[in-house]
Amino acid sequence: MAKIVYPESSLERDHLRDALHRRGKDSVDEIAAAIRERWNHSPLRSYRLALELSLTQVCDQVNRLLGVFAGETGYVDHTTLSRFEWWPIRSRRPTVSHLAALARVYQTSPRSLIAPSDWDKFPPADQFTLNALDALTTNGTTASAAAVGMMEMTRPQAGNTHDARTPWAPPDMIRSGNTIEGLVLMAGEESTRYADHGGNIGDTTLDQLRVSLTELAGQFANAPRTELFGSVRLLRDRIFAYLDGGQPMRRRRDLYFLAAAACGMLATVSDDLGYSTAAMAQARAGQIFAHEAADPALIGWLYARQSLFCYWNGQPGKARDYARRGTAIQPAGTTGVWLPAIEARACGELGDVEAAHRALRRAAEARERLRPSSVDAFGGLMEFNLAKQQFYGAGTHLGISDYPAVIEHADATVEAYENGPAEDRAYDNMAVVRLQGAIAQVRIGNLDAAAETARMALQLDPKHRIAHVDKTARRLHRQLCAAEVRTAPLAIDTRDQIENFLSTTPARPELA
């Protein structure tokens, strides 16, 4: 095997992923194979880079899967994992149990983590176990439960070789899971681990789960995100519990639909709380379930969620591409309106004025021929209503610097929310769009209107604060620092209000 070199940057890997996405090759296995072919990495390192995971994240997940802690036999720290990735050029060969756990983390089979030329370097007993694990993880969606049992059988035992050094310990917060950050991150991992389970359920229970999902979808407009996280996670766990049995195909598809929607909801809460990596993990797990449910509207809805997360994470190019992929499957219902609307906003951020206008027209046309879908039936978060469409219009026109249109759409958004049902009033969206309107007012030289609009936005109740509000407030603050307005009394006063607002962001509470 040739010496492994690491010449590439994360930006080069992003370009490679984008090229693969355009060719429809976006599975973990395909991305890992392309990374390995391009830069001659080992399979283990290629899969980690394909999922954009750090050594710390992989170590945490592997140790949790194996149930080992710092100082125990089989514990994996940075050095151990790095040695696994360099084998067989130098260092140590990974054990069967470690390969089984890594395969779960990397969403593949254990043998995929071994180069064919290195297979004979494993003892016959290990080859037998790895072949058994490989068969379990390639025989369908119910195989992983048995694979976990096999992992327990192959868990590191006393007497296995281990580094005689003080291992790196995972953060107590992640291990205990008693803070919102720990719960959000672990929930993302749990959804990924359960994304290939089967289930057992009756019609009455299915109806109860649908009712619970509908109620939670309706609470997303104005419920505190920390409360929503716990409620949605409990519902998701109930669905996962049913997915541990067996049932007819019709019921299994119903459960897959509900699991996908629940993961999408958890993804939204995670992103609102500022955890974009966990949000993407939830959304990708949801995509697996949505494909099992074979529901184009739901698949498109999850593409839209991923597009949204990329947009707010400063990746408008990826946001545009996710939206276009979702549109390509022609989802029914308001998802078919949302996807071109979010594409328009991403194109606006990229400065592509013509593409932004074309996408806005497609969104308007999709609204005109709208027929409700299975996703719209749940309402709330699952539905893209007219107020949200106006909200996206404001964001699009802000990106293309059409400031009068920003103000028009911002006013229309607030009016639509205020005149609509109280339970649909998204106070976070209202705050964001008011701040966007204030940015537009600054750009056209109307500081009086900007100050008043910003003042209303900054009165947002702390329980409705989400990460996107803070990001937009910072954007307005930057505008008020521009040379042409920096010394104006209204600009100074509004900057002070924004700084006070951002400094009093409520701490994320610990959860029982």
Side-chain angles (χ1 to χ4, degrees):
M1 181 177 176
K3 182 179 179 180
I4 299 176
V5 291
Y6 296 24
E8 90 283 7
S9 65
S10 59
L11 181 60
E12 288 176 284
R13 289 196 298 271
D14 284 342
H15 289 161
L16 176 61
R17 287 189 189 91
D18 290 340
L20 292 170
H21 284 162
R22 288 192 293 271
R23 291 157 51 193
K25 294 185 176 182
D26 59 349
S27 70
V28 177
D29 292 313
E30 289 169 326
I31 296 172
I35 288 174
R36 187 176 180 219
E37 180 180 359
R38 177 75 62 88
W39 291 291
N40 199 28
H41 290 312
S42 68
L44 279 171
R45 181 174 171 85
S46 298
Y47 272 92
R48 180 167 63 80
L49 295 177
L51 287 166
E52 301 180 79
L53 294 173
S54 67
L55 288 168
T56 299
Q57 290 171 316
V58 176
C59 289
D60 287 350
Q61 294 185 52
V62 167
N63 290 325
R64 272 195 291 274
L65 280 169
L66 294 176
V68 294
F69 295 89
E72 293 183 352
T73 299
Y75 182 81
V76 178
D77 61 1
H78 291 114
T79 301
T80 305
L81 182 56
S82 181
R83 288 175 174 177
F84 288 166
E85 291 185 353
W86 274 96
W87 181 81
I89 293 177
R90 64 169 186 258
S91 202
R92 57 183 292 186
R93 171 170 51 82
T95 66
V96 171
S97 57
H98 287 133
L99 284 170
L102 286 163
R104 291 285 290 165
V105 173
Y106 296 154
Q107 307 166 32
T108 190
S109 64
R111 284 206 60 173
S112 298
L113 302 178
I114 305 167
S117 58
D118 298 330
W119 176 247
D120 290 338
K121 296 180 176 67
F122 285 85
D126 286 357
Q127 292 181 15
F128 176 85
T129 304
L130 287 166
N131 280 330
L133 281 170
D134 193 74
L136 287 170
T137 53
T138 56
N139 278 343
T141 58
T142 60
S144 64
V148 172
M150 182 72 77
M151 283 170 54
E152 286 299 309
M153 294 168 58
T154 59
R155 179 177 167 175
Q157 303 297 319
N160 283 8
T161 57
H162 191 69
D163 289 337
R165 60 186 293 274
T166 303
W168 175 86
D172 290 338
M173 178 275 295
I174 297 295
R175 188 188 303 163
S176 64
N178 65 342
T179 65
I180 185 61
E181 182 172 9
L183 290 171
V184 168
L185 295 176
M186 286 198 299
E189 296 166 12
E190 290 160 0
S191 290
T192 300
R193 290 201 299 270
Y194 272 90
D196 55 355
H197 279 204
N200 183 19
I201 197 170
D203 288 335
T204 301
T205 307
L206 270 174
D207 289 340
Q208 292 173 345
L209 292 173
R210 290 189 190 99
V211 169
S212 297
L213 192 71
T214 302
E215 291 174 350
L216 287 171
Q219 293 176 25
F220 267 81
N222 48 45
R225 290 312 188 244
T226 50
E227 294 178 11
L228 269 176
F229 178 83
S231 300
V232 178
R233 188 186 182 195
L234 285 173
L235 176 61
R236 183 211 60 178
D237 289 349
R238 284 182 63 200
I239 297 168
F240 283 175
Y242 289 117
L243 284 172
D244 281 331
Q247 77 284 331
M249 177 61 72
R250 176 183 60 82
R251 288 178 178 170
R252 187 159 68 243
R253 284 183 175 173
D254 287 338
L255 273 178
Y256 284 140
F257 183 102
L258 295 170
C263 287
M265 288 182 178
L266 275 179
T268 302
V269 179
S270 301
D271 190 63
D272 287 346
L273 290 170
Y275 301 106
S276 57
T277 300
M280 290 299 285
Q282 292 282 5
R284 288 169 182 146
Q287 281 281 22
I288 296 173
F289 291 121
H291 280 283
E292 292 291 342
D295 190 301
L298 186 59
I299 295 170
W301 184 77
L302 283 157
Y303 272 128
R305 298 239 70 87
Q306 292 172 84
S307 176
L308 176 65
F309 304 152
C310 289
Y311 174 83
W312 284 110
N313 201 35
Q315 299 172 304
K318 286 187 176 181
R320 176 201 58 202
D321 293 344
Y322 272 117
R324 287 177 176 174
R325 292 179 66 196
T327 299
I329 64 176
Q330 299 180 330
T334 60
T335 298
V337 183
W338 185 18
L339 284 161
I342 196 170
E343 178 188 341
R345 192 169 65 173
C347 288
E349 198 68 19
L350 290 166
D352 193 339
V353 178
E354 290 302 318
H357 282 301
R358 286 196 302 270
L360 284 176
R361 287 195 294 272
R362 293 203 314 274
E365 292 165 359
R367 177 73 67 181
E368 290 176 359
R369 59 175 184 269
L370 182 65
R371 281 188 283 184
S373 71
S374 55
V375 174
D376 295 324
F378 291 91
L381 179 72
M382 309 286 285
E383 184 180 19
F384 188 71
N385 59 27
L386 283 169
K388 294 176 184 176
Q389 193 167 356
Q390 292 286 356
F391 174 70
Y392 275 72
T396 301
H397 287 98
L398 184 61
I400 62 178
S401 303
D402 186 348
Y403 301 119
V406 175
I407 297 167
E408 178 184 346
H409 282 276
D411 291 343
T413 301
V414 173
E415 182 180 357
Y417 277 127
E418 289 183 338
N419 293 336
E423 61 272 17
D424 291 341
R425 203 164 295 157
Y427 295 105
D428 49 359
N429 280 357
M430 292 170 68
V432 168
V433 83
R434 278 177 167 142
L435 291 167
Q436 290 175 333
I439 292 170
Q441 295 285 7
V442 172
R443 294 303 301 241
I444 63 176
N446 193 344
L447 277 180
D448 288 332
E452 176 60 21
T453 304
R455 183 189 63 78
M456 290 188 289
L458 298 174
Q459 291 176 345
L460 180 68
D461 190 315
K463 70 181 181 181
H464 298 309
R465 292 274 294 275
I466 64 172
H468 307 160
V469 176
D470 289 6
K471 289 179 181 179
T472 313
R474 291 188 184 96
R475 186 171 181 177
L476 173 59
H477 189 279
R478 290 194 295 272
Q479 288 296 325
L480 291 167
C481 290
E484 59 269 22
V485 298
R486 184 172 57 238
T487 58
L490 275 174
I492 295 171
D493 181 64
T494 304
R495 286 202 306 269
D496 288 343
Q497 291 180 48
I498 294 172
E499 290 164 10
N500 183 63
F501 177 82
L502 294 173
S503 69
T504 57
T505 299
R508 296 184 178 106
E510 291 193 353
L511 304 181

